Coordinates of all heavy atoms in Angstrom, one line a residue:
L1399 N 115.9 125.8 78.3 CA 116.7 124.8 77.7 C 117.2 125.2 76.4 O 116.4 125.5 75.4 CB 116.0 123.5 77.6 CG 116.7 122.3 77.1 CD1 117.9 122.0 78.0 CD2 115.8 121.1 76.9
T1412 N 117.3 121.1 67.1 CA 116.0 120.7 67.6 C 115.9 119.2 68.0 O 115.1 118.9 68.9 CB 114.9 121.2 66.6 OG1 115.1 120.6 65.3 CG2 114.8 122.6 66.6
L1415 N 117.4 119.1 71.3 CA 116.6 119.8 72.1 C 115.4 119.0 72.7 O 115.1 118.9 73.8 CB 116.1 121.1 71.5 CG 115.1 122.0 72.3 CD1 115.8 122.6 73.5 CD2 114.4 123.0 71.4
L1416 N 114.7 118.2 71.7 CA 113.7 117.4 72.0 C 114.1 116.2 72.9 O 113.4 115.9 73.9 CB 113.0 116.9 70.7 CG 111.8 116.0 70.9 CD1 110.7 116.7 71.6 CD2 111.3 115.5 69.6
A1417 N 115.2 115.7 72.7 CA 115.8 114.6 73.5 C 116.1 115.1 74.9 O 115.7 114.3 75.8 CB 117.0 114.0 72.8
T1419 N 114.7 117.6 76.4 CA 113.4 118.0 77.0 C 112.8 116.8 77.6 O 112.4 116.8 78.7 CB 112.4 118.6 76.0 OG1 113.0 119.8 75.5 CG2 111.1 118.8 76.6
K1420 N 112.7 115.6 76.9 CA 112.2 114.4 77.4 C 112.9 114.0 78.7 O 112.2 113.5 79.6 CB 112.2 113.3 76.3 CG 111.3 113.6 75.2 CD 111.5 112.5 74.0 CE 110.5 112.8 72.9 NZ 110.7 111.7 71.8
V1423 N 112.1 116.5 81.6 CA 110.7 116.4 82.1 C 110.5 115.3 83.0 O 109.8 115.4 84.1 CB 109.7 116.3 80.9 CG1 108.3 115.9 81.4 CG2 109.6 117.7 80.1
V1429 N 110.4 122.6 82.0 CA 111.3 122.9 80.9 C 110.7 124.0 79.9 O 109.6 123.9 79.5 CB 111.5 121.6 80.1 CG1 112.5 121.9 78.9 CG2 112.2 120.6 81.0
P1431 N 111.8 125.3 76.5 CA 112.8 125.1 75.4 C 112.9 126.3 74.4 O 111.8 126.7 73.9 CB 112.4 123.9 74.7 CG 110.9 123.8 75.1 CD 110.7 124.5 76.4
Y1432 N 114.1 126.8 74.1 CA 114.3 127.7 73.1 C 114.5 127.0 71.8 O 115.3 126.1 71.6 CB 115.6 128.5 73.3 CG 116.3 129.1 72.1 CD1 115.6 130.2 71.5 CD2 117.4 128.6 71.5 CE1 116.2 130.8 70.4 CE2 118.0 129.1 70.5 CZ 117.4 130.2 69.9 OH 118.0 130.9 68.7
T1433 N 113.5 127.3 70.8 CA 113.5 126.5 69.6 C 113.4 127.4 68.4 O 113.3 128.6 68.5 CB 112.2 125.5 69.7 OG1 112.2 124.7 68.5 CG2 110.9 126.3 69.8
N1434 N 113.3 126.8 67.3 CA 113.1 127.6 66.0 C 111.6 127.9 65.8 O 110.7 127.5 66.7 CB 113.7 126.9 64.7 CG 113.1 125.5 64.6 OD1 112.0 125.2 65.0 ND2 113.8 124.8 63.7
I1438 N 105.7 122.4 63.9 CA 105.8 121.0 64.0 C 106.7 120.6 65.3 O 106.3 119.8 66.1 CB 106.4 120.3 62.7 CG1 105.6 120.6 61.6 CG2 106.3 118.7 63.0 CD1 104.2 120.4 61.6
M1439 N 107.9 121.2 65.3 CA 108.7 121.0 66.5 C 108.1 121.5 67.8 O 108.3 120.9 68.9 CB 110.1 121.6 66.2 CG 111.1 121.4 67.4 SD 111.2 119.7 68.0 CE 111.9 118.9 66.4
A1440 N 107.4 122.6 67.7 CA 106.8 123.2 68.9 C 105.8 122.2 69.4 O 105.7 122.1 70.7 CB 106.2 124.6 68.4
K1441 N 105.0 121.6 68.5 CA 104.1 120.6 68.9 C 104.7 119.4 69.6 O 104.2 118.9 70.6 CB 103.3 120.2 67.8 CG 102.2 119.2 68.0 CD 101.0 119.7 68.9 CE 99.7 118.8 68.8 NZ 99.9 117.5 69.2
K1442 N 105.8 119.0 69.0 CA 106.5 117.8 69.6 C 107.1 118.2 71.0 O 107.0 117.3 71.9 CB 107.7 117.4 68.6 CG 107.2 116.8 67.4 CD 108.5 116.4 66.6 CE 108.0 115.7 65.2 NZ 109.1 115.2 64.4
L1443 N 107.6 119.4 71.1 CA 108.1 119.8 72.5 C 107.0 119.8 73.5 O 107.1 119.4 74.7 CB 108.8 121.1 72.4 CG 110.2 121.1 71.6 CD1 110.6 122.5 71.2 CD2 111.3 120.5 72.3
A1444 N 105.8 120.5 73.1 CA 104.7 120.5 74.0 C 104.2 119.0 74.3 O 104.0 118.8 75.5 CB 103.7 121.3 73.4
D1445 N 104.2 118.2 73.4 CA 103.7 116.9 73.6 C 104.7 116.1 74.5 O 104.4 115.2 75.3 CB 103.5 116.0 72.3 CG 102.4 116.5 71.6 OD1 101.5 117.3 72.1 OD2 102.3 116.2 70.3
A1446 N 106.0 116.5 74.5 CA 107.1 115.8 75.4 C 107.0 116.4 76.8 O 107.7 115.9 77.6 CB 108.4 116.1 74.8
G1447 N 106.1 117.4 77.1 CA 106.0 117.8 78.4 C 106.5 119.2 78.7 O 106.6 119.6 79.9
A1448 N 107.0 119.9 77.7 CA 107.5 121.2 78.0 C 106.4 122.1 78.5 O 105.3 122.1 78.1 CB 108.0 121.9 76.6
A1449 N 106.8 123.0 79.5 CA 105.9 123.9 80.1 C 105.5 125.0 79.3 O 104.4 125.6 79.5 CB 106.5 124.5 81.4
C1450 N 106.2 125.3 78.3 CA 106.0 126.3 77.3 C 106.9 126.1 76.1 O 107.7 125.2 76.1 CB 106.2 127.8 77.7 SG 108.0 128.2 78.1
V1451 N 106.7 126.8 75.0 CA 107.6 126.7 73.9 C 108.1 128.2 73.6 O 107.3 129.1 73.8 CB 107.1 126.2 72.6 CG1 106.7 124.6 72.8 CG2 105.8 126.8 72.2
M1452 N 109.5 128.3 73.2 CA 110.0 129.6 73.2 C 110.6 129.8 71.7 O 111.8 129.6 71.5 CB 111.0 129.8 74.2 CG 110.5 129.6 75.6 SD 111.7 129.9 76.9 CE 111.8 131.7 76.9
V1477 N 99.9 124.5 69.6 CA 100.1 124.1 71.0 C 99.1 124.7 72.0 O 98.6 125.8 71.7 CB 101.5 124.4 71.5 CG1 102.6 123.8 70.5 CG2 101.8 126.0 71.5
V1479 N 100.2 125.0 75.4 CA 101.1 125.6 76.4 C 101.4 127.1 76.0 O 101.2 127.5 74.8 CB 102.3 124.8 76.5 CG1 102.0 123.4 77.1 CG2 103.2 124.8 75.2

Side-chain angles (χ1 to χ4, degrees):
L1399 185 61
T1412 53
L1415 178 69
L1416 181 59
T1419 296
K1420 292 178 179 178
V1423 166
V1429 182
Y1432 159 71
T1433 185
N1434 57 20
I1438 307 303
M1439 180 51 64
K1441 180 69 163 54
K1442 289 182 179 181
L1443 290 165
D1445 289 345
C1450 69
V1451 292
M1452 306 180 74
V1477 303
V1479 297

